[in-house]
Amino acid sequence: MRPVRLSAVTAVAGAVVLTAVTGCTEKSDASSSDNLIAVTATDSTCEVSKTEFPAGHVEISVENKGSKVTEIYLLFPDDRIVTERENIGPGTKQTVTAEVKAGDYRIACKPGMKGDGIRQDVKATGGTVAKRDPRLDEAVAAYRAYAQAQADQTLPKVKIFTDAVKAGDLEAAKKAYAPSRIGWERTEPVAESFGDIDPKVDVRADGLEDGQEFTGWHRLEKALWQDKKITAEDKTLADQLVTDLTDWQKRVGKADITPTSMANGAKELLDEVATGKVTGEEERYSHTDLVDFKANIEGAQESYTLLKPVAGENDAALTKELDKQFAALNTLLDKYRADKTSYEFTSYDKVADADRKELSDAVNALAEPLSKLAAAVVK
């Protein structure tokens, strides 16, 4: 949740006037490249090299000079995420590529990866986004159709789950829990484009913002596996989950999806797998992490596959490496299920630390080349 929204950038006497934000200043040594925004992040500042840039393909190059791990966000004025990059360690650099239309935006650095971040208002000027390969428009349309199909298929599975919860049938609800999440997990590369749905349906207890109610799948997961009982409140939350996911189903057709958001989202999802699924934090009560893990990989791979024709022409070595790493990770996951067509995986609490390390290494081996996909798409 990001409760405080800054005013839009306005022009006064030919100069850009910004709403004051503590620790967020404009640097004087602007980048020589029109579409490159250099961001220097510390634990208390977020310096940007320019506050105006041409609409089209934009590269945000981030250097973390602080002592905390940070994140970088490019936001719409209403706080919807255009693109992001998480887990930027102290002393490291990252670059994220995005496509933007003319208009007002915000850049936010989030030291410690908590809170609203240190923000700077910026503006994209000019007409519209530069012309792109029509195959990329086809890729976006195909991914939207894929996401819509996942949403359409998810609702009936969620109903099986929530009907069991409302019937007070603990074992039936447990059995239906993981299958009900597969479609959602497959669409997570573009989850940010669905607005506030994610924090309603997929938040973990330790991810709650101040004042945020604990709702969604993981709240019910806790009831089933830890509390081992279904209360009247849980039954109400089951109905709320259906309502929120029905809202998600309706938003897919209107979601702002671009080739770079598909590519960046796949990379960010792999980071989430590495930090929240390989560690066992995501499904801490049910230990169904490997089901989510597999669905995430499928969603990321779908995004990559649709972008591959263009990316492969621009960077054949990259797509060759991505093919290799996706295959390796999928082969590794197959070790944890008897039937390769099934989503019945080994309970994650039965996966040894050494095997978790092997999974983590495979995720990181894929995430590194995947971080270059967006740039390959817009070359």
Side-chain angles (χ1 to χ4, degrees):
M1 299 292 131
R2 303 176 184 87
V4 180
R5 293 176 177 172
L6 307 184
S7 62
V9 179
T10 56
V12 178
V16 176
V17 178
L18 299 173
T19 301
V21 182
T22 301
C24 199
T25 58
E26 182 182 356
K27 293 174 69 179
S28 59
D29 54 336
S31 169
S32 59
S33 175
D34 287 344
N35 70 339
L36 176 65
I37 305 171
V39 178
T40 303
T42 71
D43 296 345
S44 59
T45 63
C46 183
E47 297 181 341
V48 301
S49 62
K50 62 186 67 172
T51 54
E52 288 197 11
F53 48 87
H57 302 312
V58 175
E59 290 186 12
I60 303 174
S61 178
V62 188
E63 181 176 7
N64 184 2
K65 292 186 175 181
S67 63
K68 301 176 181 178
V69 177
T70 195
E71 299 172 340
I72 187 73
Y73 290 84
L74 181 63
L75 304 168
F76 289 106
D78 62 3
D79 276 9
R80 285 177 298 131
I81 296 173
V82 179
T83 191
E84 64 179 311
R85 181 58 48 86
E86 300 176 349
N87 297 301
I88 306 171
T92 65
K93 298 179 180 180
Q94 292 277 347
T95 299
V96 59
T97 304
E99 294 173 87
V100 299
K101 298 179 180 180
D104 295 327
Y105 298 89
R106 295 192 180 101
I107 288 176
C109 303
K110 193 180 290 188
M113 301 197 298
K114 294 181 179 180
D116 297 327
I118 304 162
R119 298 176 170 213
Q120 175 72 290
D121 284 5
V122 295
K123 180 187 288 288
T125 59
T128 58
V129 173
K131 290 183 179 180
R132 65 188 183 204
D133 191 315
R135 291 175 296 175
L136 295 178
D137 292 318
E138 293 171 4
V140 169
Y143 197 85
R144 189 185 301 279
Y146 171 79
Q148 187 67 65
Q150 296 307 313
D152 294 344
Q153 293 165 18
T154 293
L155 263 297
K157 294 178 181 178
V158 168
K159 282 284 291 177
I160 294 172
F161 170 59
T162 55
D163 284 351
V165 171
K166 291 191 293 182
D169 191 333
L170 200 70
E171 293 307 314
K174 285 183 176 180
K175 184 177 180 180
Y177 172 76
S180 77
R181 290 176 48 74
I182 291 172
W184 169 265
E185 295 293 324
R186 285 174 175 162
T187 65
E188 282 210 301
V190 293
E192 297 293 356
S193 65
F194 304 134
D196 61 353
I197 298 298
D198 184 86
K200 291 180 179 179
V201 304
D202 202 27
V203 70
R204 305 193 309 252
D206 57 341
L208 295 171
E209 299 284 349
D210 290 342
Q212 182 183 354
E213 183 183 0
F214 190 14
T215 61
W217 271 298
H218 295 304
R219 170 63 180 80
L220 294 171
E221 178 202 7
K222 178 178 180 294
L224 297 174
W225 274 273
Q226 178 168 292
D227 302 339
K228 296 181 172 57
K229 63 181 179 180
I230 297 171
T231 65
E233 181 185 2
D234 297 328
K235 295 177 182 181
T236 299
L237 289 172
D239 281 333
Q240 185 61 47
L241 179 62
V242 173
T243 298
D244 290 336
L245 289 171
T246 301
D247 187 11
W248 163 55
Q249 182 186 30
K250 294 175 181 178
R251 293 191 194 191
V252 173
K254 303 174 184 177
D256 189 4
I257 301 172
T258 68
T260 52
S261 73
M262 288 167 58
N264 289 326
K267 153 65 178 171
E268 293 303 324
L269 182 55
L270 264 290
D271 287 344
E272 181 185 331
V273 169
T275 58
K277 292 184 172 68
V278 171
T279 57
E281 295 174 27
E282 177 83 359
E283 304 288 0
R284 63 192 64 181
Y285 311 112
S286 65
H287 306 301
T288 56
D289 303 79
L290 289 174
V291 180
D292 290 1
F293 196 163
K294 179 62 177 177
N296 287 161
I297 300 305
E298 288 175 337
Q301 190 163 10
E302 180 71 15
S303 177
Y304 161 62
T305 299
L306 292 170
L307 297 172
K308 181 180 174 180
V310 174
E313 288 184 6
N314 293 334
D315 193 338
L318 176 64
T319 54
K320 182 179 180 180
E321 181 66 14
L322 284 168
D323 287 341
K324 174 184 172 182
Q325 297 301 338
F326 268 116
L329 184 51
N330 281 313
T331 298
L332 184 57
L333 282 171
D334 284 341
K335 289 173 50 178
Y336 299 97
R337 56 179 177 175
D339 179 356
K340 293 182 182 179
T341 65
S342 168
Y343 280 84
E344 293 185 8
F345 283 86
T346 301
S347 181
Y348 204 57
D349 58 335
K350 307 299 183 185
V351 178
D353 288 345
D355 294 323
R356 294 188 183 197
K357 175 65 164 55
E358 185 181 27
L359 286 165
S360 178
D361 290 345
V363 171
N364 290 330
L366 173 58
E368 194 281 325
L370 199 57
S371 69
K372 303 173 184 177
L373 180 59
V377 164
V378 300
K379 276 186 179 178

